[in-house]
Amino acid sequence: MSLLAIAFIILILVNPTSEAINALAVIAAPIAAMVAAYYGITLSIQQVKNERAEKEKALARAEVAEATSRETEVWSAQMESGLRVAMAKLNAAGVSTSEVTKAAGTPADFF
């Protein structure tokens, strides 16, 4: 591009004729098209790289969310198991469990 600019400057200083301008335009047009194509391709490649990086971040967040969900399910199962054991012991001891059922927020037929 700098050589093209120098050629234009020389053309202006020397005595521009229509033939010289046309010849320079014939040379400049493909160069300008190549520069524009290079810019477009470079921009597209950068956008693809950015999208891939965003995809990787989203997948990582999804994996973390899935792991957290599994941990929550395990914890919930453990709490339910402990509550069932406590209810069984209370029932075996003949203690009323209606208050425990209300506090746990479980339906009447849960246990």
Side-chain angles (χ1 to χ4, degrees):
M1 290 303 290
S2 58
L3 289 176
L4 192 57
I6 292 171
F8 272 114
I9 292 170
I10 291 172
L11 179 66
I12 291 170
L13 294 177
V14 171
N15 186 12
T17 63
S18 63
E19 291 84 15
I21 292 172
N22 288 339
L24 194 54
V26 168
I27 294 170
I31 293 172
M34 285 187 281
V35 168
Y38 175 77
Y39 176 75
I41 291 169
T42 304
L43 184 62
S44 296
I45 290 171
Q46 184 62 39
Q47 288 175 338
V48 168
K49 285 180 183 178
N50 291 343
E51 291 299 320
R52 284 184 181 163
E54 288 298 320
K55 176 186 170 189
E56 293 299 323
K57 288 177 186 177
L59 288 174
R61 286 191 304 266
E63 288 175 7
V64 168
E66 187 177 337
T68 302
S69 174
R70 282 193 301 267
E71 291 172 3
T72 301
E73 288 175 7
V74 168
W75 178 82
S76 175
Q78 290 172 341
M79 293 298 108
E80 181 182 339
S81 177
L83 186 57
R84 287 184 186 276
V85 169
M87 290 293 289
K89 287 185 176 185
L90 288 172
N91 285 334
V95 177
S96 172
T97 58
S98 61
E99 292 174 2
V100 175
T101 305
K102 288 178 188 175
T106 56
D109 60 344
F110 185 76
F111 295 106

